Amino acid sequence: MIKKRGGDFGKQRILPIIAGSIAPPITGALIDWYSTGLGYSDYTPAMFLSVAVLLVSAALVIRLRFTVEHTENRMAADLKRLMTKKEVNALLILAFALGTNWGFVSTYLFPFLKTLEAPNSVMGMALLVGNLFSVPVIFIGDRIVGKFGCHTIFITAFFVYAFREFIYTFFR
């Protein structure tokens, strides 16, 4: 649909990023408010909010009218051709390593913050801050890659993850 209407996929990603920035602090505050006096965090508001958003989204998707273009069924041949290229394999290894770091942070950051007795609203703010940095990059990403190149971007990403995880070690 984006290609058909002349859009830019990268810029289409801005709304999910904004939503992913706004929803966690609000949900964290709701959880803190709902859990006041309980002695533990009750995540019921997060579950109800999630179900509500999913139901509204489902209602909107039902109203969408779009078609899927069918292409030649050469997927296996194209995949085999791609997997024999060293550059593609190197990219996949780098993406796997960066994804592993992302998975590590997204899996263990919040239990770590919980051991520090951080309120849920602070955890929501952590997502807000992290996501806000990606919004301007969406608009200038092409220029950044054009100026510095893919290699520099990957190396920078590795160092940023390492720095971020190093900084977390000082939280106690």
Side-chain angles (χ1 to χ4, degrees):
M1 287 179 66
I2 293 168
K3 184 178 178 182
K4 184 185 245 184
R5 292 184 173 41
D8 182 346
F9 177 74
K11 290 181 179 64
Q12 300 297 321
R13 292 284 307 141
I14 196 163
L15 287 177
I17 290 170
I18 291 171
S21 300
I22 294 171
I26 292 170
T27 306
L30 279 171
I31 292 168
D32 287 341
W33 170 78
Y34 190 80
S35 302
T36 301
L38 294 177
Y40 63 91
S41 292
D42 187 340
Y43 296 97
T44 302
M47 297 304 123
F48 281 125
L49 187 59
S50 176
V51 168
V53 169
L54 288 172
L55 290 175
V56 168
S57 298
L60 292 172
V61 167
I62 288 171
R63 296 179 49 97
L64 283 177
R65 300 287 178 241
F66 60 90
T67 58
V68 177
E69 295 179 21
H70 295 282
T71 58
E72 287 184 38
N73 194 6
R74 295 183 27 184
M75 191 166 149
D78 290 343
L79 183 61
K80 183 179 178 183
R81 188 174 41 87
L82 275 176
M83 296 306 293
T84 59
K85 296 186 177 203
K86 293 177 187 175
E87 299 85 11
V88 171
N89 289 322
L91 177 64
L92 291 174
I93 290 168
L94 291 172
F96 179 82
L98 286 172
T100 300
N101 278 291
W102 177 81
F104 173 78
V105 170
S106 66
T107 301
Y108 296 110
L109 175 60
F110 298 113
F112 176 62
L113 290 174
K114 205 62 170 169
T115 63
L116 299 176
E117 299 178 2
N120 293 298
S121 53
V122 168
M123 293 183 207
M125 293 304 280
L127 287 173
L128 170 69
V129 170
N131 284 342
L132 284 181
F133 284 105
S134 61
V135 172
V137 171
I138 288 174
F139 290 100
I140 61 172
D142 291 339
R143 286 180 276 182
I144 292 171
V145 172
K147 182 172 184 165
F148 298 106
C150 291
H151 294 88
T152 305
I153 301 299
F154 271 111
I155 291 167
T156 303
F158 280 112
F159 279 109
V160 167
Y161 268 114
F163 179 72
R164 180 180 179 187
E165 293 166 16
F166 178 72
I167 293 298
Y168 288 150
T169 65
F170 291 104
F171 293 175
R172 297 196 186 243

